[in-house]
Amino acid sequence: MTELTELTAVRLLDGYRKGEFSPVEAARAALERAEAIQPEVNAFVRLTAEDALRRARESEGRWRRGAPDGLLDGVPVTVKDILLLRGAPTLRGSRTVDPEGRWDEDAPSVARLREHGAVFLGKTTTPEFGWKGVTDSPAGGVTRNPHDPARTAGGSSGGAAAAVALGAGPLALGTDGGGSVRIPAAFCGIFALKPTYGRVPLYPASAFGTLAHVGPMTRDAADAALLMDVIGGPDSRDWSGLPPATTAFTDGLAGGVRGLRVAYSPTLGGQVAVRPAVAAAVRRGVKLLAELGAYVEETDPDLTDPVDAFHTLWFSGAARVTQRLGPEQRALLDPGLREICAQGARCSALDYLAAVDVRMDLGRRMGRFHDTYDLLVTPTLPITAFEAGAEVPKGSGHRRWTGWTPFTYPFNMTQQPAATVPVGTDGDGLPIGMQLVAARHRDDLVMRAAHALYEAGAAAGVRLAGS
């Protein structure tokens, strides 16, 4: 029998229903895997084994009675240490956060999971306050890539991506302010979705404002759709949250891509230098979409790199996060975080509003683009995973993590749904991701196209990285 740690959430639930195995067996297997991978990969800041096994036993009793409680009853899940999990400290990768707080509240997405019977394995690693596209912090150390521990897992949801890739729970909650579920998912070879802003409620509100999204990180698109059907439930604590979706995301998965209008932009109009292995793998993914019946055109959106405006918004948010810290606490921060906080503190209100103007114009242009095209396809990243513990690849000339993530952060600015699907590996066996982007509120199209790719890969006997 396939090991329980290799099964998707959909398959686990089917097994519970048929009595093939139990939530307790699945939880124990996931916890054992988490403990086994921790010394080398460092995916977790805390395992909540006692609580996980208690919840798994309760779930097992419900399944025996034929009365599961919710859509994810008994499924192991991890929570990024940015999101509140009742009973466990949320330190956000920082030595400036007091672990002796009350910790008596769940984030909205966590609360919905608890209502649906999920089993919480623990908290996954993040860079300090989720500020960069790799995962290392003064408090949590360096998180490493499952395919090569000398390389980074990406970030800022790096621990979540590594955990899913290595079987320490099929489902993970991550956050994405500039690519933070898509970057590590692409580097680790799994699926991740940054939903339309507000689709998944967030509380407490992020200091990075409406750039910040909560999203699923999973082994495939079907699991992500199931997770979205749970965590997309409304929560009154998020004043900017959207109303509930009118249909279940799982119901729309099987629609395929036939007839969809797909724009393929390999370099955003020559603005991005993409490694040949990445370009070739993504082109094969695009070809598969065409073979499945999509109308594919190689074309570019009307998009100029908004990195300066993004930096103004992002650095100002970072400065706000650390605003109340005294000199002694500030000295404990990640040096890179201290640098961007200092830059952000120098931004004026007019600078911030000018960046908002750039953002609004970018949103307008992408809205018009999607009048013509249902989906935009790009590489998720122009490179594969580089050395662990570094913010940028050695010799790249980049100053900040945004230098090597030009395909991800623009779509935080526009609030569009964007997902990454693994489409192959490079010569070193490192995963390559392809990004799917749709108009705001069309999360269903992104997941439908991703699911079609997974289904086609399985039908052709192709094992996608992370599948």
Side-chain angles (χ1 to χ4, degrees):
M1 186 179 76
T2 303
E3 288 190 28
L4 291 176
T5 54
E6 296 179 18
L7 300 182
T8 64
V10 170
R11 178 67 183 91
L12 283 176
L13 289 164
D14 185 56
Y16 298 162
R17 191 174 298 111
K18 294 175 179 176
E20 296 174 351
F21 39 78
S22 75
V24 171
E25 291 172 314
R28 284 179 176 153
L31 287 167
E32 287 172 6
R33 181 61 61 88
E35 290 172 352
I37 69 174
Q38 183 62 13
E40 185 169 49
V41 176
N42 187 34
F44 291 88
V45 294
R46 178 183 298 268
L47 289 171
T48 54
E50 184 177 337
D51 180 70
L53 291 173
R54 177 186 61 79
R55 290 184 62 81
R57 286 190 292 269
E58 292 171 352
S59 173
E60 184 171 303
R62 292 190 291 270
W63 281 103
R64 282 177 177 167
R65 296 191 299 273
D69 187 12
L71 296 177
L72 292 173
D73 201 347
V75 176
V77 63
T78 63
V79 178
K80 182 180 180 181
D81 198 36
I82 290 289
L83 298 168
L84 295 175
L85 172 64
R86 193 172 74 215
T90 299
L91 303 182
R92 302 197 285 174
S94 182
R95 292 180 292 177
T96 68
V97 178
D98 182 4
E100 300 303 322
R102 293 177 61 181
W103 310 118
D104 57 358
E105 193 171 20
D106 285 329
S109 51
V110 175
R112 301 294 84 75
L113 283 168
R114 193 181 295 280
E115 292 164 2
H116 281 261
V119 171
F120 300 109
L121 300 177
K123 305 298 290 291
T124 54
T125 51
T126 176
E128 196 161 21
F129 301 114
W131 79 272
K132 59 184 174 180
V134 294
T135 301
D136 59 74
S137 73
V142 178
T143 298
R144 299 177 180 276
N145 194 291
H147 298 266
D148 180 355
R151 314 275 185 139
T152 180
S156 61
S157 305
V164 171
L166 290 170
L171 305 178
L173 289 182
T175 63
D176 190 315
S180 289
V181 299
R182 290 161 290 156
I183 295 165
F187 276 179
C188 293
I190 67 167
F191 179 82
L193 169 72
K194 178 190 74 65
T196 298
Y197 178 79
R199 181 75 279 150
V200 180
L202 178 60
Y203 170 86
S206 172
F208 298 109
T210 58
L211 294 172
H213 305 229
V214 178
M217 305 178 72
T218 60
R219 297 181 70 84
D220 62 19
D223 269 12
L226 178 60
L227 185 50
M228 282 294 294
D229 283 341
V230 171
I231 64 176
D235 193 293
S236 60
R237 293 172 293 175
D238 184 353
W239 64 270
S240 62
L242 296 174
T246 55
T247 57
F249 290 111
T250 47
D251 289 345
L253 280 179
V257 298
R258 183 167 299 279
L260 291 185
R261 303 161 299 171
V262 176
Y264 168 44
S265 179
T267 62
L268 293 181
Q271 297 181 80
V272 184
V274 178
R275 286 187 186 170
V278 173
V282 173
R283 190 171 289 276
R284 288 193 295 270
V286 171
K287 182 181 178 183
L288 181 54
L289 286 173
E291 291 171 355
L292 293 171
Y295 299 111
V296 177
E297 178 182 348
E298 186 167 326
T299 188
D300 303 302
D302 178 20
L303 188 156
T304 52
D305 188 356
V307 68
D308 291 336
F310 179 81
H311 281 169
T312 296
L313 301 171
W314 193 252
F315 296 173
S316 297
R320 177 63 175 163
V321 168
T322 60
Q323 183 179 23
R324 293 181 176 83
L325 298 181
E328 290 184 3
Q329 284 188 305
R330 198 170 289 273
L332 299 175
L333 295 175
D334 180 329
L337 177 58
R338 279 203 306 271
E339 287 181 18
I340 70 162
C341 288
Q343 288 179 254
R346 292 193 292 270
C347 292
S348 69
L350 290 178
D351 294 331
Y352 192 92
L353 291 173
V356 170
D357 285 343
V358 170
R359 183 180 188 183
M360 290 191 293
D361 184 60
L362 185 65
R364 176 191 61 79
R365 283 183 278 159
M366 287 307 303
R368 293 295 299 273
F369 183 80
H370 285 290
D371 285 341
T372 303
Y373 300 101
D374 299 301
L375 292 172
L376 169 66
V377 175
T378 74
T380 307
L381 297 164
I383 59 175
T384 51
F386 53 91
E387 60 270 24
E391 183 185 346
V392 300
K394 185 183 297 183
S396 66
H398 299 311
R399 173 66 179 145
R400 297 264 77 103
W401 62 272
T402 44
W404 53 270
T405 61
F407 292 111
T408 59
Y409 58 78
F411 303 109
N412 291 80
M413 297 184 75
T414 61
Q415 303 186 341
Q416 294 171 247
T420 182
V421 179
V423 288
T425 57
D426 69 4
D428 294 323
L430 297 169
I432 293 166
M434 181 170 81
Q435 181 172 232
L436 307 172
V437 184
R440 291 174 73 242
H441 312 298
R442 293 312 311 265
D443 306 66
D444 60 314
L445 281 183
V446 171
M447 285 187 282
R448 201 172 96 195
H451 183 65
L453 288 168
Y454 274 100
E455 291 284 286
V462 177
R463 182 178 173 85
L464 293 176
S467 67

